[in-house]
Amino acid sequence: MLRKRLLGPLLLCAASAPAATAQADDEDAVIGATVVTSLVVSDVVFTVYSAVKVDANEEPDTGWMIAQTSVVGLQALALNGLGAGFAAFTDDEGPELGIFPFATLLGTLSTFGAWSLIGSGPSIDVRARFGLSSVLAINTYFSGVAIATLVDGRPLPDYMSIPQTALMAPEFLLTTIKAVTDPEGRAEWIGLATWSGLLTVHGATSLILRGIAFEKAHSTSAFLPFATTTEGPIPGLTFVGAL
């Protein structure tokens, strides 16, 4: 009789346990989806607001910039760290490049927000500030991935070294010109020119090293001190290999 009394509650608990676990998983999924959706919506709102202010060349409101820097800044840091982590610790090809546009957008918004709060000075208007914010965001992302691969002891993969070289080389040229023609901001332009120049050299060097490694891996060329005939090897010099 006692066994029958205990059997009912035990069966009820066993039946309810999977349902409770499934319900908890569903709640976590809903919470996660809600958070992600909220962040995406807020990012779109901040992007539109900044774009409107930049287009009108008007100073953004302080309250907006505080919120934009706080909300978007954390996301930008996370994406930059994620890109560097993929570059350093995984063999998967492509995640760094896929993260790049999102990290650049959020990095631009957060840098623009922080810069607007600090104050830009009379020589940098809203449009120039936003443009330079995007330059800093791009440089920061490329630098994180570059440092991660250097620490790992390997050159950049081609899908990162090509865009890095293609974007950093023009930036190096333009910032060098500005360093010569803008005496007031010369120190800042020299810093940007040095930064972009190093990234250009790193990207180009990675392309060269990857090309050399590819040629070595796919080349079996050799000189042999004999010639192979149907009757066997005879003295001579033969070049064999795959071109």
Side-chain angles (χ1 to χ4, degrees), residues 119-140:
S120 60
S123 62
I124 302 179
D125 61 12
V126 175
R127 291 174 181 170
R129 192 187 316 156
F130 190 84
L132 287 173
S133 295
S134 59
V135 168
L136 294 174
I138 292 172
N139 286 21
T140 299

Side-chain angles (χ1 to χ4, degrees), residues 39-241:
L39 291 176
V40 171
V41 171
S42 65
D43 294 341
V44 172
V45 171
F46 288 131
T47 301
V48 172
Y49 177 81
S50 296
V52 169
K53 290 298 182 180
V54 170
D55 182 65
N57 203 22
E58 297 178 353
E59 286 292 336
D61 295 336
T62 300
W64 274 90
M65 293 298 96
I66 292 174
Q68 180 169 304
T69 305
S70 303
V71 175
V72 180
L74 293 176
Q75 298 177 68
L77 287 174
L79 287 181
N80 276 276
L82 192 62
F86 274 118
F89 302 114
T90 68
D91 295 328
D92 297 335
E93 294 190 353
E96 310 98 305
L97 186 60
I99 295 170
F100 170 63
F102 302 102
T104 298
L105 173 61
L106 298 183
T108 299
L109 292 174
S110 58
T111 303
F112 177 69
W115 200 347
S116 298
L117 290 172
I118 295 172
S120 60
S123 62
I124 302 179
D125 61 12
V126 175
R127 291 174 181 170
R129 192 187 316 156
F130 190 84
L132 287 173
S133 295
S134 59
V135 168
L136 294 174
I138 292 172
N139 286 21
T140 299
Y141 188 80
F142 279 139
S143 297
V145 175
I147 292 171
T149 54
L150 285 173
V151 171
D152 197 39
R154 57 188 175 85
L156 278 174
D158 291 345
Y159 59 81
M160 284 302 299
S161 58
I162 291 174
Q164 178 172 308
T165 306
L167 291 173
M168 292 298 104
E171 181 187 322
F172 171 68
L173 178 61
L174 292 174
T175 51
T176 301
I177 294 173
K178 291 294 291 184
V180 175
T181 58
D182 183 11
E184 294 183 1
R186 180 162 295 160
E188 291 79 4
W189 291 120
I190 289 175
L192 276 177
T194 303
W195 192 0
S196 57
L198 290 173
L199 288 171
T200 301
V201 171
H202 178 254
T205 303
S206 296
L207 281 172
I208 294 171
L209 293 176
R210 288 275 183 179
I212 293 173
F214 179 84
E215 289 296 326
K216 287 183 178 179
H218 292 79
S219 177
T220 57
S221 303
F223 285 99
L224 301 178
F226 56 83
T228 303
T229 67
T230 55
E231 298 178 355
I234 60 174
L237 187 62
T238 304
F239 177 80
V240 297

